[in-house]
Amino acid sequence: MNPFEDMRMFCQVMDSGSFTAAADQLGLSKQFVSRRLMQLEERLGVRLLNRSTRRLDVTPLGQSYYESALRLLSEVEQMEQGIAGQTTEPRGTIRLSAPLSFAVAHLGCLLPVFLQRYRDVTVEVDLSDRPVDLLGEGYDLALRIGVLEDSTLIARRLASIERVYCASPAYLAERGTPLKPEDLHTHDCLPYGHGRQVQWRFGGRGQPLSVNVTGRMRVNNGELLKDAAIAGMGITYLPTFIVGSALEDGRLVPVLDDLRPEPLTLSAVYPQHRQSSRPVQALIEFLRERLNQREEGSPHR
């Protein structure tokens, strides 16, 4: 038995959260994976996993073995890559999760360029605004906007995401232009997401201010909110990658623009065992370079 293969198999089970998912991703049978890990435990003389019909729990020794195995496998992969030479082109498949509106605005034109550059790389993209479980669902990389929750994932900053308050000229002509955040109490607003109460934050000079906003339409998709704002349904608050073109051609105009809060951060997050993956790192560097070029050239930063 190859101890490195046993390590990889155990890490795959840990990352996937089940024998079944790990076996599917490895192209093996569930029985084979389970038997190999039982043999691993017998060889080590310890229990790594507590098995039950409902869930799979790692023991403290299993967690220690997992962390050590990740480090060792990463070192082995880096050593092999060093021997193969840095001129070796990245190859393999990247499973990528990205926010829907951001992906439509940017990835549709960027990914073809990336794939033209790296002919031996394949990208599988899942578009969703939900924060996917990278380990449990088998993703190699995810793009996330905003504050990241503490986790074992590695995060790298890619770009800044500016947001803007805006409305159609027709709406503002009929209802007036708000001059201070409190004026929004008398306006129809188009907030993102769901919930009984939504707060918009304002920066500018002095202390940050939060204002409760209400409206007749609330959606968890930025493109639909942009279209509603263009149609004169109210004031919305969205990233410039969604409303930038409408601001440029005058379908929307900014309001309270001197009170914008700090920009959000677009981050690439990935599991620890992908930190030496050449395809993943190549895509991260490519996106960081191209997105910062766009950020510097945007009139609505």
Side-chain angles (χ1 to χ4, degrees):
M1 291 182 291
N2 186 331
F4 287 105
E5 290 304 316
D6 288 341
M7 286 182 188
R8 289 190 177 95
M9 199 172 298
F10 178 76
C11 290
Q12 190 67 58
V13 170
M14 287 285 291
D15 292 344
S16 303
S18 73
F19 286 108
T20 301
D24 288 343
Q25 293 166 13
L26 292 168
L28 302 170
S29 70
K30 174 184 175 183
Q31 292 74 18
F32 179 82
V33 173
S34 179
R35 184 169 63 253
R36 284 290 293 268
L37 292 194
M38 289 179 65
Q39 292 171 350
L40 172 63
E41 290 177 322
E42 290 175 3
R43 189 169 75 249
L44 295 175
V46 299
R47 180 172 291 278
L48 302 175
L49 297 168
N50 292 318
R51 301 163 176 82
S52 71
T53 57
R54 299 184 61 184
R55 59 183 300 177
L56 193 68
D57 291 325
V58 63
T59 66
L61 286 174
Q63 182 65 35
S64 177
Y65 180 85
Y66 170 68
E67 294 171 358
S68 298
L70 280 181
R71 288 194 296 269
L72 182 56
L73 291 171
S74 176
E75 290 175 3
V76 170
E77 185 175 353
Q78 290 177 12
M79 179 190 67
E80 290 177 346
Q81 290 176 356
I83 293 173
Q86 293 301 313
T87 59
T88 303
E89 286 294 306
R91 63 180 64 242
T93 298
I94 305 170
R95 293 199 66 218
L96 170 67
S97 171
L100 175 60
S101 296
F102 177 84
V104 170
H106 291 292
L107 296 188
C109 55
L110 291 180
L111 286 181
V113 178
F114 174 79
L115 294 174
Q116 285 286 337
R117 178 181 297 182
Y118 299 105
R119 298 283 183 165
D120 294 323
V121 175
T122 300
V123 181
E124 298 177 1
V125 186
D126 178 71
L127 302 184
S128 174
D129 291 334
R130 70 181 179 88
V132 300
D133 179 357
L134 271 74
L135 296 178
E137 299 178 53
Y139 288 97
D140 300 302
L141 178 66
L143 304 183
R144 291 183 176 167
I145 298 173
V147 178
L148 300 174
E149 297 180 359
D150 292 336
S151 73
T152 59
L153 300 175
I154 300 173
R156 289 188 60 188
R157 181 191 178 280
L158 295 180
S160 295
I161 302 292
E162 290 279 0
R163 295 166 292 170
V164 61
Y165 306 96
C166 55
S168 71
Y171 173 86
L172 297 176
E174 178 183 351
R175 300 288 298 273
T177 299
L179 301 178
K180 56 185 185 297
E182 294 83 355
D183 293 343
L184 294 176
H185 292 311
T186 62
H187 281 271
D188 290 326
C189 295
L190 299 166
Y192 179 94
H194 301 299
R196 293 184 177 181
Q197 190 175 78
V198 175
Q199 288 189 334
W200 283 353
R201 293 180 59 83
F202 295 84
R205 295 182 297 274
Q207 296 296 319
L209 175 67
S210 296
V211 174
N212 294 330
V213 297
T214 59
R216 297 170 55 207
M217 186 173 177
R218 195 173 299 177
V219 190
N220 65 341
N221 180 267
E223 295 292 336
L224 191 55
L225 287 174
K226 176 193 71 175
D227 292 342
I230 291 172
M233 293 291 295
I235 300 172
T236 193
Y237 175 42
L238 291 171
T240 52
F241 66 76
I242 295 178
V243 297
S245 61
L247 291 169
E248 290 175 7
D249 62 26
R251 289 175 295 162
L252 293 174
V253 295
V255 297
L256 302 169
D257 210 32
D258 58 337
L259 294 175
R260 289 195 204 181
E262 290 296 315
L264 298 173
T265 296
L266 171 69
S267 302
V269 297
Y270 52 95
Q272 294 184 26
H273 66 277
R274 289 292 180 262
Q275 61 184 320
S276 57
S277 167
R278 296 201 68 198
V280 168
Q281 297 303 322
L283 180 55
I284 290 173
E285 286 302 320
F286 174 83
L287 292 176
R288 186 186 63 80
E289 174 188 337
R290 293 303 180 97
L291 291 173
N292 277 284
Q293 288 176 356
R294 292 189 173 194
E295 182 181 349
E296 291 168 3
S298 172
H300 297 289
R301 291 186 60 191

